[in-house]
Every structure is written in structure tokens, then in C-alpha cells.
């Protein structure tokens, strides 16, 4: 009886995620395929791959952010560049899906409505986990087919695909536990993200502290990496060892997490979490009496988390800048791609420009995330209650947009300063590095605001697509910015991304024309979204 209705809830979950999960799977498969295809173009022969892998194996920062080095074949080189990203993305896909169909349903009242019918106590959690497992199996198979289609060996491709799927399944179990502990979907997602961060940190420490083989093309991780689900995915070593036995570790971990989640469901009430909600102060701060103060209060937690990540990424990217010539080695094609990503100039300046663009994309993701909260407030009924007061629609929307913009500006400054600090300490020219890289970061801000404008326009015009549409546009910009040059996409396709049009500082000089055009486009999108929101009815 505890599982009655699981099949019906699974079909409902599949219908709700009929767009979201396929977009995740297709996007990740495209990243894998494009990376595998680009390796052939980037490295013309075995000697160039050996040089690149040796440079990555000997650089601790590269091991932390690129992943484990294991072999010099085309497949192994592609895994060094892409596998870590895919493992993290699969973990995020799985944890978000499980929380969405468990804790979020309880938070919005859907679970109580569904529970009034003939549904077992464990049906919702079982359906959510089944959905996540199914999605990861499909992701594993599609990823393997994408790699095989790129001309890589089938055995290594299958190992890579199931490494990605297995890590995703582990984090489905992690999210099942966090959904029982915390009372809100945001906190449950935060708990799963914190576990992911811990897993990434353990893996990073284990890889950076590992030993390098005599020929410099293989890193043997130390013990912390074996404590991490992300590390388990890498230890399968596709296209090198193809160590299938490592898959036992994530499957056992998943079983443990699932057993714990089901045990926890028996000791809590529906809608409640094991961790009690901390009561707020008896009196609200004066700042909460304004729409902007409320928006800032709701967004500051996300801003703090993004700030930590941006600071770490920026400093790490900057610290590598002084060694980029050694990392690229003899590959002229790799140097050419970096130049295409970061503009003409010295290899170091092109690399720093490319990293500034990547950090700009990360800040754009922050802007889209916090502005998507507007749709959540509307769907959950909080906006209707707020608009029943003296607050107008323009005031509310303007406060949300202003708070997101302030956060984006702060993150942009942090990105420039952290990158400049890392590069300045490595190169010995701290003052010049701080100034140049802060300017390089700020010039990307108009492109960030364009994506923020897309989120506002979608919210005003197409509220039911207010979440999916901005993320789709962001994904397109990410793919164009990161793999467009390697795939030699037509310029007309590259021009779709606003990041293509910003001056590629510090490798080239500043140009006011493109910046002003992007600012105008952002303003038009934001104003149009505000006007359309004022005219439409609130929707659920």
C-alpha cells in the first residue's frame, strides 16, 4: 500500500518534465560530441596530445577544474576536457528533478492534494527517484551514442556514458535525503548543492595531490578522490582503463541514500522537514518595508553562494594565466581556438579574455536564476498578496530587476578583481592586472543585462515559459561561446550570442559602439517585459 499510485505519479512527472529533461540530455550530449569532435581539430597528432596532457597533469589548477588526466588517445584527451563538467551537470540535473517532484510538491500544496486520493506514502518519492534513474540511463546511452558518432571507440564511449549516468543516480539519492531534511525546495536544493560542492572539493584535493606517471600523461589520484562520487566517475577512466567495477561504488551509495530517505519519510509529517524552520525576529527590519528591501533579502543568499564560486573560479583562472603557454604546448590549433575565443593578441591576453567571457556567462546564469524567482512568486500566490497592498506592479518588478542588477554588478567587479589578483600574484604585476581584468569583466556586463532582459521579457509576455525560455537562451549562448569557435560555426550563428559582440578585452581595445547597442537592447527587453506584465492577468 505504501507504493500505490507510483505509476500514475511517474507518468505525471514525465509529462511535467517532457521538455526540461530532454533539453538537459540533448545539451549535455552536444557538449560531449562537440568536445570529442574538436579534439581531432585541436590536436593534429599524438605528439600534440601528449604535450597537452603533460601540461595538464603537471598543473594543479588544471587538475582541479579540468579533471583527471588518463592517457593520450583522442578519447582520453576529450575526457580530460569534458568529463568533469558532464559529471557535475548530471548531478545537478538529478538533484533538481528529485527535489522538484518531492519537496517542491509539498511546499506548493500539490502533495496534499494528491494525497487526498488513493496514493501510498512512498509513492511520490519512488516516482521521483524512478524518473531520475530513467533520465540518467537515457543520458548514459545518448552520451555513449554521441561519442561513438564522433568516431571514438565503443567500449570507452559506453564507459564514459555510464560514468556520467551513475554519478547522476547517486545525486538523485542525495536529493531524496535532503528533501526529507529541509522544509523548502530551495533549502533542499541548497543541501544537495553543498554535498556536490563537498564531493567536488574532495575530488579536487585527491587529483591535485596525486602522483604523475613517468611519462607525465597519467595522474593517480590520492585517497580523498575515492571518497567522492565525482571522483568515482573519473576513476572509471574511459578510453584508458575502462574500469567497469568502479560502477559498484555509486550504485551502493545510491542504495544507501534511498534507504535513508525512505526511513526518514516515516518520521516526519507531509509538508514538514526534519530540520525545524528557524523563526525570524519578532520585528522586521525597516528595509523589508520597501519592495527593493524585500527583493534584496530574498536574493542575498543566492548572491552569496555565487560570489564564493565566482571568486574561486576567477582566482584560479587568473593563476593559470601565466602558465598558459606551457599548457597549450605545441598545439597550434589550440592556440588558434583560444585566440578565437578571446580575440587577437598574445596567447596570455586571449586566454584572460576567454576566461572573462566564461565568468560573464556564469554571472548571466545568476541573473537568470534570481529573476526566475518572479515566476515562482506568481505561481505560488505570494505576488498576489503583495500586490494587494500599495505596491504597484511596476514597483515590484522594478525592485526585482534592480536587486538582480546590483548583484550582477557586484559579481562582475568580484570576477575582475579575483582574476586580476590571481594573475597579478602569478605574474608579479598586481596593479596592472587588477585594473586590466576588472575592466575586461565590466565590459561583459551589457551582455549579462541582455540575458536579464530576456528573462524579464519572457516573464511579461510568456509567463508559462518564463523559466524555460531564458535558460534555453542562456544554454545557446553558452554553447556558442565555448564551442562555436572550435566547431567553426558560421558568423551569423555566432552573432546570436550577445557575448560575441562585447569588446574582447584585454586582448583588444575598448569599443563603445557595441556596448551601447547591447545596453539599448537590454533596456528595450526590460521595458517591454514590464509593460506586458502590467497589462496581463496573473497566472498560476
Amino acid at each position: 500500500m505504501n507504493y500505490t499510485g507510483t505509476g500514475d505519479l511517474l507518468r505525471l512527472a514525465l509529462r511535467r518534465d517532457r521538455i526540461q529533461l530532454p533539453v538537459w540530455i540533448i545539451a549535455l550530449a552536444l557538449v560531449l560530441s562537440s568536445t570529442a569532435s574538436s579534439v581531432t581539430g585541436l590536436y593534429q597528432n599524438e605528439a600534440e596530445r601528449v604535450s597537452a596532457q603533460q601540461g595538464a597533469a603537471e598543473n594543479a589548477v588544471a587538475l582541479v577544474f579540468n579533471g583527471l588526466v588518463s592517457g593520450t588517445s583522442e578519447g582520453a584527451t576529450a575526457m580530460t576536457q569534458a568529463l568533469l563538467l558532464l559529471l557535475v551537470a548530471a548531478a545537478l540535473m538529478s538533484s533538481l528533478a528529485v527535489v522538484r517532484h518531492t519537496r517542491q510538491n509539498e511546499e506548493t500544496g500539490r502533495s496534499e492534494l494528491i494525497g487526498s486520493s488513493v496514493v501510498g506514502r512512498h509513492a511520490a518519492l519512488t516516482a521521483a527517484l524512478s524518473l531520475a534513474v530513467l533520465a540518467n540511463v537515457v543520458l548514459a546511452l545518448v552520451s555513449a551514442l554521441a561519442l561513438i558518432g564522433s568516431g571514438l571507440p565503443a567500449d570507452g564511449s559506453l564507459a564514459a556514458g555510464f560514468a556520467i549516468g551513475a554519478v547522476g543516480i547517486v545525486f538523485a539519492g542525495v536529493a531524496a535525503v535532503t528533501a526529507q531534511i529541509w522544509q523548502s525546495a530551495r533549502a533542499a536544493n541548497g543541501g544537495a548543492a553543498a554535498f556536490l560542492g563537498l564531493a567536488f572539493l574532495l575530488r579536487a584535493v585527491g587529483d591535485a595531490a596525486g602522483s604523475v606517471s613517468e611519462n607525465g600523461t597519467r595522474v593517480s589520484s590520492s585517497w580523498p578522490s575515492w571518497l567522492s562520487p565525482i571522483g568515482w566517475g573519473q576513476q572509471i577512466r574511459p578510453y584508458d582503463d575502462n574500469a567497469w567495477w568502479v560502477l559498484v561504488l555509486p550504485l551502493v551509495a545510491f542504495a544507501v541514500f534511498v534507504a535513508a530517505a525512505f526511513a526518514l519519510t516515516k518520521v516526519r509529517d507531509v509538508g514538514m522537514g526534519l530540520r525545524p524552520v528557524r523563526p525570524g525576529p519578532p520585528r522586521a527590519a525597516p528595509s523589508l518595508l520597501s519592495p527593493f528591501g524585500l527583493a534584496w533579502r530574498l536574493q542575498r543568499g543566492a548572491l552569496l553562494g555565487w560570489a564564493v564560486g565566482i571568486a574561486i573560479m576567477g582566482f584560479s583562472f587568473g593563476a593559470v594565466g601565466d602558465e598558459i603557454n606551457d599548457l597549450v604546448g605545441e598545439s597550434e590549433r589550440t592556440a588558434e581556438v583560444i585566440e578565437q575565443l578571446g580575440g587577437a593578441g598574445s596567447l596570455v591576453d586571449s586566454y584572460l579574455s576567454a576566461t572573462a567571457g566564461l565568468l560573464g556567462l556564469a554571472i548571466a546564469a545568476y541573473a537568470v536564476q534570481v529573476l526566475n524567482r518572479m515566476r515562482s512568486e506568481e505561481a505560488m500566490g505570494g505576488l498576489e498578496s503583495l500586490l494587494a497592498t500599495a505596491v504597484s506592479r511596476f514597483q515590484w518588478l522594478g525592485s526585482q530587476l534592480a536587486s538582480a542588477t546590483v548583484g550582477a554588478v557586484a559579481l562582475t567587479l568580484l570576477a575582475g578583481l579575483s582574476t586580476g589578483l590571481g594573475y597579478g600574484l602569478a605574474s608579479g604585476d598586481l596593479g596592472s592586472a587588477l585594473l586590466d581584468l576588472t575592466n575586461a569583466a565590466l565590459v561583459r556586463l551589457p551582455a549579462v543585462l541582455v540575458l536579464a532582459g530576456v528573462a524579464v521579457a519572457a516573464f511579461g509576455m510568456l509567463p508559462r515559459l518564463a523559466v524555460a525560455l531564458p535558460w534555453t537562451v542562456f544554454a545557446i549562448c553558452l554553447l556558442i561561446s565555448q564551442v562555436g569557435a572550435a566547431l567553426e560555426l558560421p558568423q551569423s550563428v555566432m552573432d546570436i550570442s550577445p557575448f560575441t559582440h562585447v569588446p574582447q578585452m584585454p586582448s583588444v581595445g575598448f569599443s563603445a559602439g557595441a556596448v551601447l547597442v547591447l545596453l539599448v537592447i537590454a533596456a528595450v527587453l526590460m521595458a517591454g517585459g514590464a509593460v506586458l506584465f502590467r497589462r496581463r492577468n496573473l497566472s498560476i
Side-chain angles (χ1 to χ4, degrees):
M1 295 296 291
N2 283 333
Y3 301 95
T4 301
T6 298
D8 292 333
L9 292 180
L10 176 58
R11 286 191 290 272
L12 176 62
L14 286 168
R15 177 173 174 77
R16 286 182 60 194
D17 285 359
R18 65 187 183 277
I19 296 176
Q20 195 165 16
L21 287 179
V23 167
W24 270 98
I25 293 170
I26 293 172
L28 296 183
L30 286 175
V31 170
L32 261 184
S33 177
S34 62
T35 302
S37 300
S38 67
V39 165
T40 303
L42 290 174
Y43 308 106
Q44 302 295 329
N45 50 53
E46 176 77 10
E48 291 188 357
R49 292 197 299 272
V50 169
S51 177
Q53 293 292 77
Q54 287 175 339
E58 294 170 359
N59 189 288
V61 177
L63 288 172
V64 168
F65 289 98
N66 289 347
L68 198 63
V69 176
S70 186
T72 59
S73 67
E74 290 183 354
T77 305
M79 290 302 99
T80 298
Q81 298 179 4
L83 182 59
L84 178 60
L85 172 64
L86 271 293
L87 295 175
V88 173
L92 289 172
M93 179 191 75
S94 302
S95 59
L96 291 172
V98 170
V99 171
R100 184 165 58 249
H101 294 289
T102 54
R103 175 52 62 185
Q104 188 182 82
N105 281 350
E106 295 187 38
E107 188 178 9
T108 58
R110 294 192 190 101
S111 292
E112 188 174 3
L113 179 63
I114 294 173
S116 63
S117 62
V118 184
V119 175
R121 183 177 184 86
H122 298 323
L125 180 57
T126 304
L129 289 169
S130 300
L131 174 71
V133 171
L134 178 62
N136 279 286
V137 170
V138 173
L139 174 61
L141 295 174
V142 172
S143 298
L145 290 174
L147 291 169
I148 293 172
S150 300
L152 297 180
D155 54 348
S157 300
L158 288 170
F162 280 94
I164 296 168
V167 171
I169 288 174
V170 171
F171 280 89
V174 171
V177 173
T178 62
Q180 314 309 315
I181 296 174
W182 281 282
Q183 191 168 331
S184 70
R186 179 182 297 180
N189 280 325
F195 189 92
L196 175 58
L198 176 62
F200 188 95
L201 179 62
L202 287 171
R203 192 268 335 152
V205 171
D207 289 354
S211 59
V212 182
S213 63
E214 291 185 3
N215 62 3
T217 61
R218 179 184 172 97
V219 174
S220 298
S221 304
S222 59
W223 62 267
S225 186
W226 287 94
L227 301 178
S228 166
I230 303 295
W232 299 338
Q234 289 191 330
Q235 295 303 328
I236 293 175
R237 296 178 183 266
Y239 305 105
D240 188 14
D241 291 348
N242 292 333
W244 288 94
W245 68 267
V246 179
L247 288 175
V248 173
L249 298 176
L251 295 179
V252 170
F254 174 69
V256 172
F257 284 124
V258 169
F262 280 120
L264 294 176
T265 60
K266 299 177 181 179
V267 296
R268 69 173 185 88
D269 294 328
V270 175
M272 304 298 293
L274 293 177
R275 188 173 184 271
V277 177
R278 185 179 63 181
R283 291 183 180 276
S287 61
L288 292 178
L289 297 177
S290 69
F292 178 81
L294 178 60
W296 179 258
R297 174 65 180 83
L298 294 175
Q299 294 180 12
R300 70 181 185 183
L303 178 60
L304 178 61
W306 278 94
V308 173
I310 291 292
I312 294 174
M313 289 175 60
F315 183 85
S316 302
F317 289 155
V320 175
D322 202 41
E323 303 179 16
I324 191 63
N325 288 298
D326 295 332
L327 287 174
V328 171
E330 301 175 359
S331 176
E332 295 180 0
R333 176 56 179 158
T334 302
E336 181 183 338
V337 170
I338 292 177
E339 182 177 320
Q340 291 172 342
L341 289 171
S346 69
L347 184 59
V348 173
D349 284 345
S350 297
Y351 164 78
L352 292 173
S353 177
T355 59
L358 180 60
L359 290 170
L361 282 163
I363 297 167
Y366 160 79
V368 170
Q369 179 192 23
V370 296
L371 288 173
N372 277 347
R373 184 178 174 82
M374 297 189 298
R375 176 56 186 162
S376 300
E377 290 290 334
E378 181 181 12
M380 295 174 62
L383 176 57
E384 187 175 6
S385 300
L386 187 62
L387 294 179
T389 67
V391 177
S392 68
R393 292 195 180 198
F394 275 148
Q395 284 179 305
W396 178 79
L397 182 62
S399 66
Q400 297 288 326
L401 183 55
S403 179
T405 302
V406 169
V409 172
L411 290 178
T412 301
L413 288 171
L414 180 62
L417 291 172
S418 60
T419 307
L421 180 62
Y423 179 66
L425 292 176
S427 64
D429 189 5
L430 183 59
S432 178
L434 287 173
L435 179 61
D436 292 345
L437 293 175
T438 300
N439 290 333
L442 286 172
V443 82
R444 268 81 180 177
L445 185 59
V448 173
L449 295 179
V450 168
L451 289 186
V454 170
V456 175
F459 175 72
M461 183 185 303
L462 302 168
R464 295 189 181 278
L465 297 177
V467 175
L469 183 59
W471 281 120
T472 301
V473 174
F474 169 78
I476 292 172
C477 293
L478 177 63
L479 289 173
I480 289 175
S481 298
Q482 298 307 303
V483 301
L487 296 179
E488 299 181 351
L489 295 178
Q491 188 60 42
S492 58
V493 176
M494 299 288 291
D495 288 341
I496 294 174
S497 171
F499 288 90
T500 303
H501 303 282
V502 298
Q504 300 296 312
M505 297 175 65
S507 60
V508 299
F510 175 74
S511 173
V515 171
L516 291 175
V517 170
L518 289 174
L519 288 174
V520 170
I521 293 174
V524 169
L525 289 170
M526 293 173 184
V531 171
L532 292 170
F533 171 62
R534 185 175 181 274
R535 294 181 177 179
R536 71 171 174 84
N537 295 325
L538 297 183
S539 61
I540 303 301

